[in-house]
Amino acid sequence: MHDPIVPAMLVSAFGPGLAALVIGLWAVLSPRRPTEQTVSRVVGVGLALSLLGAVAAAGLYIGGHPAGEIHVGDWVRIGDYAVPIVFLVDGVTVAFGVLSAVTSALAARFSRTYLHKEAGYLRFFVLLALFATGAQLISFAGAFDLLFAGWELVGVSSALLIGFFHERQEPVRSSLRAFATYRACDVAFFIAIVAIHELLGTTRLSVLSTSASLPEWERALVAGLLLVAAFGKSAQLPFSSWLPRAMEGPTPSSALFYGAVSVHAGLYLLLRVWPLLDTVPVVEVIAAIVGVATAIYGGLVARVKTDAKGALAHATLAQTGLILAEIALGFSTVALVHIVGHALLRLWQYLRAPNTLHDAHHRGHAHHDEAWWQRLLPAPWSTRVFAAAMQRLRLDERLDAVVAPLFAVARALERGDRRLRAAVSLDEVERTDRSPR
Amino acid sequence: MSLAILLAVIGAALTLLPLALGMPAPRGDSARRAGLVVAVATGVVAATTWSGSGGVVVAAIAAVAALLLHTLGATSRDARLWLGLAAVAVVVVVIGMVTGRGDVAFVASLVALALRVGVAPLHAGVFAIAERQPALLIELFGSALGAVVLHLRLIDGASVLARDVAVPVVVIGAAATLLGALLALAKTTLRGLWAASVGMHAGMLLAAVGAAGRGHDVAAVLVVVTLALGMAGFGFVVAALEARVGRVTLTGPGGRVRAFPTLTAAFAFFAAAGVGLPGTAGFIADDLLLHALWEEGPVAAAIVVVASATLAISLLRGYGAVFLGPPGPRTVARDLDGRERLVVAALVLALVVIGVLPMIVVGPASALSD
């Protein structure tokens, strides 16, 4: 704890979360809700501390702080079993940490005026602060437990912000779909973490460098589970359909989550677990294929979308697909630079999205020539590709068809359970329920 | 000793929690509740601090007393029947201990635990209570803490049997967890959703108790603390909402967030805490439980993770259906009052403090198992 980088990372990670807790308890305990100014100031202080901490950590690292793990303590210890609190210091960590802190602070500053007098102002800032804590935990974590805690916070805050404009049905539905995708993929992540702990004895990220000692099928299994987790978070095929729907949320959260940080979190995870992925060629090949397929899908759909945020969402998919392919091919540094550049560009583009009409009016309408590859396609193929892009490959319908049997089973079980309980019930209500009427 | 105080305080507080709902109580309810507090505290203190079989016998007698007092407060015949059955099972525990039949006491305690927390297929009683008398189920969470500690103590006297049945109990628990989560997916009322959530957590508790037979006692303690605090908070919110608007269905959109913003936030928090939101006790409880289950069978661990994710989706769906959407019909009912807010804040703080500093429970619980 005498290492100065530790308090910097702790402040950066937990400053926004503490601000969220203060504002949340204030709202619950006080009969008068805190004003907009109070909310934005308290959360602003948390985010400013987070930024300062991240910049200080980066400064210390650049100034010669050695790369490596720092064991802060144990979250839980029972005999030999421990859930360690470990921070990781290296170029990737500080770059992603500073990126998250800067973009969170920018989005918060933008939102102060953008969401002025919005009914969910307090809710937005509390969720933004929770997100910032989650993002910093992901950035600095040197152990999977801590990383997963941040991962979950990002997921929950993300889903709740997609449903921010809850008086309309579509945002609520989109929120549920995004959350369901996240949770389905998080199942894979959680199982992978438990497996890593049991197979390698600890959840420290550094332990993956010894994963070559494991049998091949165990390595492939864990790597595959981590890949699924990353696909869900970064909206890679076949889990891409939640990202365009996530645009139902307020613009600043779209910019921060789906332009800058959250959508890159899965790719960041793959950078962190590269020592394991590198030992399983088949997983690398799958990642490369999925990355390229997502890039093609995103690029095609982006060209036919007629709304600004929808086009941006698919353009984001195209770039994240390319980054995934870069990681799979082993170009880690290129991927990191690509992540940072892409995140900053998209943050700016998403925040500008509400001004699209204004910008177009000033610039005049750009003339789009047909792309060279479009001329290569025969006309019937071109029409088919256009139609498929318009329908977004019917990804939603295909996923719905996959989960539909689960709901049918749930309904059948519920009916059976109700009948069974009615059969053993002594109360009048249940007797009436089971009567033929 | 610190675990005894902590669990006794949580148990007593949960026993008194329904009072904050301000519902009219029948005559003599104060005396019943006071007796319940004494029984809960006695059971926990005896089970955690009194070594030897004497402590177990006293804890079991206190558990019988608590169950009988719960039964006195029950308004439905189903509740009385199932709680009575649980009481009979605990009486068998006492007889088993007195006659030196540790194995019989262990099995009876397992059955009693399954009956009182609602592990499928013995969940009919808890489901009936959740659907007809939520305040009673909140009370029951208070006394469940002592019941789990009592069961953990019984493992010493039946260590071979506990080890032998660990895997089957874990498998039954995991299956009950998945069943609870799937039932939640198909529920059409808020009370039903709560009942199914309780059923899912009960399955997790049984799996944890099964794994405790092979030395993973701490996971069981943390799981029951999370179950008690999280599900009591959830039930409290459900009862508070229904006291204002009547029975709530999930056919939504309910549009109640404008009228009840604090209730909405509390619902979201307790639902999230129940499915392992980081920073709450549920996260660390899930983590410990899954590591314990993995050692008994990776498939059981995977089933519990899948069930937890499924329940999370059901809860978000329920949250959307009850609170979100266009504003519902105007209501004169107000958001949570001062007393209710205090209860919610206390439960939130308890879940967050244990989530951030789990060693305050894990440390003494490890000492107990040592």
Side-chain angles (χ1 to χ4, degrees):
Chain A
M1 280 293 279
H2 298 299
D3 191 336
I5 208 165
V6 172
M9 286 178 154
L10 282 172
V11 166
S12 183
F14 295 107
L18 200 60
L21 189 66
V22 168
I23 284 292
L25 281 178
W26 184 335
V28 169
L29 288 174
S30 166
R32 291 180 61 189
R33 291 174 79 77
T35 62
E36 279 190 6
Q37 200 178 31
T38 310
V39 170
S40 57
R41 277 190 184 164
V42 173
V43 173
V45 168
L47 291 172
L49 286 173
S50 177
L51 179 56
L52 278 174
V55 170
L60 286 166
Y61 174 69
I62 293 166
H65 189 287
E69 284 180 345
I70 302 170
H71 184 246
V72 181
D74 289 326
W75 202 352
V76 174
R77 174 164 280 286
I78 310 164
D80 294 337
Y81 175 85
V83 178
I85 301 176
V86 179
F87 285 143
L88 191 59
V89 181
D90 64 12
V92 180
T93 296
V94 295
F96 205 74
V98 171
L99 174 74
S100 306
V102 167
T103 50
S104 299
L106 283 173
R109 178 63 194 89
F110 183 88
S111 309
R112 266 177 64 183
T113 39
Y114 187 80
L115 291 172
H116 177 52
K117 292 200 173 176
E118 189 65 56
Y121 192 90
L122 184 146
R123 184 162 37 104
F124 177 87
F125 273 88
V126 166
L127 291 173
L128 185 67
L130 280 181
F131 166 81
T133 282
Q136 293 309 86
L137 284 176
I138 291 174
S139 306
F140 296 139
F144 280 107
D145 307 276
L146 207 57
L147 199 153
F148 188 69
W151 189 270
E152 288 287 284
L153 280 178
V154 166
V156 171
S157 54
S158 167
L160 291 176
L161 276 174
I162 293 170
F164 183 79
F165 297 112
H166 54 79
E167 293 188 358
R168 289 186 289 119
Q169 275 295 287
E170 205 46 43
V172 177
R173 270 200 288 265
S174 300
S175 156
L176 187 57
R177 184 172 284 271
F179 186 69
T181 310
Y182 274 166
R183 290 303 291 200
C185 296
D186 290 353
V187 166
F189 196 8
F190 207 171
I191 294 172
I193 293 171
V194 177
I196 288 168
H197 200 150
E198 296 300 325
L199 297 173
L200 296 168
T202 176
T203 52
R204 290 172 181 240
L205 293 171
S206 58
V207 79
L208 294 181
S209 58
T210 65
S211 59
S213 62
L214 293 175
E216 195 173 343
W217 73 270
E218 287 182 351
R219 269 182 285 138
L221 179 72
V222 175
L225 290 168
L226 291 170
L227 207 58
V228 171
F231 285 179
K233 204 64 147 190
S234 290
Q236 300 299 295
L237 286 174
F239 307 112
S240 303
S241 64
W242 69 263
L243 186 69
R245 285 171 165 271
M247 298 302 132
E248 297 283 356
T251 293
S253 64
S254 300
L256 178 61
F257 289 49
Y258 316 116
V261 181
S262 179
V263 78
H264 294 112
L267 304 170
Y268 177 77
L269 172 70
L270 295 183
L271 285 176
R272 299 272 60 147
V273 301
W274 177 249
L276 171 65
L277 297 187
D278 199 27
T279 65
V280 191
V282 67
V283 170
E284 289 175 286
V285 171
I286 291 171
I289 291 171
V290 169
V292 171
T294 307
I296 293 171
Y297 165 76
L300 284 175
V301 180
R303 292 186 69 84
V304 301
K305 289 301 282 184
T306 52
D307 63 298
K309 283 176 79 176
L312 274 174
H314 286 93
T316 304
L317 280 180
Q319 291 299 319
T320 52
L322 289 178
I323 297 170
L324 175 62
E326 288 161 9
I327 294 170
L329 295 172
F331 301 121
S332 302
T333 309
V334 174
L336 183 64
V337 172
H338 198 160
I339 286 174
V340 174
H342 181 236
L344 292 173
L345 172 72
R346 289 290 178 228
L347 180 78
W348 179 77
Q349 285 183 324
Y350 276 105
L351 292 179
R352 290 291 300 175
N355 280 18
T356 305
L357 286 177
H358 181 263
D359 291 350
H361 178 71
H362 280 273
R363 286 192 210 131
H365 291 287
H367 177 69
H368 293 290
D369 285 329
E370 199 177 26
W372 62 269
W373 55 268
Q374 284 176 304
R375 289 195 292 272
L376 293 180
L377 283 175
W381 275 90
S382 183
T383 310
R384 281 184 195 172
V385 170
F386 178 79
M390 285 294 285
Q391 292 165 344
R392 294 190 284 164
L393 297 187
R394 295 181 183 272
L395 277 185
D396 279 349
E397 289 87 336
R398 289 177 213 276
L399 281 178
D400 286 348
V402 171
V403 296
L406 182 71
F407 282 91
V409 168
R411 280 191 293 270
L413 280 173
E414 209 276 331
R415 275 195 302 274
D417 177 62
R418 205 157 7 102
R419 281 186 199 140
L420 197 68
R421 286 190 291 119
V424 297
S425 174
L426 301 174
D427 286 334
E428 288 302 320
V429 181
E430 297 284 353
R431 279 191 188 156
T432 313
D433 283 352
R434 68 184 157 160
S435 71
R437 282 177 299 157
Chain B
M1 188 64 187
S2 57
L3 184 69
I5 295 170
L6 186 72
L7 296 185
V9 168
I10 294 175
L14 293 180
T15 306
L16 299 174
L17 205 64
L19 294 175
L21 288 165
M23 288 176 176
R27 285 184 64 179
D29 195 60
S30 305
R32 183 187 72 85
R33 211 173 285 277
L36 204 49
V37 169
V38 172
V40 166
T42 307
V44 166
V45 171
T48 47
T49 61
W50 192 345
S51 58
S53 60
V56 179
V57 172
V58 171
I61 292 170
V64 175
L67 281 165
L68 291 177
L69 288 166
H70 286 309
T71 312
L72 282 179
T75 53
S76 81
R77 283 191 281 183
D78 279 350
R80 286 190 215 115
L81 169 72
W82 289 93
L83 290 174
L85 286 174
V88 169
V90 186
V91 169
V92 175
V93 173
V94 177
I95 294 169
M97 288 308 297
V98 171
T99 57
R101 298 293 303 274
D103 288 1
V104 172
F106 174 81
V107 173
S109 166
L110 209 54
V111 172
L113 202 59
L115 281 166
R116 65 178 301 140
V117 296
V119 179
L122 303 176
H123 62 295
V126 164
F127 273 47
I129 298 170
E131 285 171 8
R132 283 175 223 150
Q133 205 180 351
L136 180 63
L137 189 51
I138 295 172
E139 264 180 42
L140 269 166
F141 293 132
S143 57
L145 297 166
V148 169
V149 181
L150 168 65
H151 183 77
L152 296 180
R153 287 290 307 276
L154 290 169
I155 291 173
D156 290 341
S159 53
V160 176
L161 178 65
R163 182 168 286 275
D164 289 347
V165 300
V167 172
V169 173
V170 163
V171 169
I172 294 170
T177 305
L178 188 60
L179 178 67
L182 288 172
L183 290 179
L185 214 51
K187 287 292 176 189
T188 52
T189 65
L190 188 55
R191 283 193 190 188
L193 180 63
W194 178 47
S197 306
V198 171
M200 184 270 191
H201 281 88
M204 285 174 82
L205 180 62
L206 187 74
V209 161
R214 295 199 181 183
H216 300 288
D217 321 35
V218 181
V221 174
L222 210 54
V223 168
V224 75
V225 169
T226 305
L227 164 79
L229 291 172
M231 288 298 106
F234 189 2
F236 184 82
V237 171
V238 171
L241 179 64
E242 294 200 335
R244 287 161 170 78
V245 300
R247 283 294 185 109
V248 178
T249 64
L250 302 181
T251 47
R256 297 184 177 92
V257 61
R258 279 271 166 90
F260 309 116
T262 313
L263 242 170
T264 307
F267 180 97
F269 178 85
F270 290 123
V275 291
L277 178 76
T280 67
F283 181 75
I284 214 76
D286 285 4
D287 193 72
L288 286 183
L289 174 64
L290 290 171
H291 284 289
L293 295 187
W294 184 276
E295 291 180 14
E296 308 313 321
V299 176
I303 288 173
V304 171
V305 180
V306 170
S308 179
T310 309
L311 181 67
I313 293 165
S314 303
L315 290 173
L316 185 64
R317 189 183 124 255
Y319 170 75
V322 175
F323 294 103
L324 307 185
R330 287 178 67 87
T331 172
V332 290
R334 290 191 173 177
D335 202 3
L336 293 178
D337 63 27
R339 197 167 45 176
E340 291 167 327
R341 281 166 191 260
L342 210 59
V343 166
V344 166
L347 288 172
V348 167
L349 266 180
L351 284 164
V352 169
V353 168
I354 296 172
V356 175
L357 305 166
M359 288 307 287
I360 59 175
V361 174
V362 171
S366 316
L368 177 76
S369 63
D370 290 342

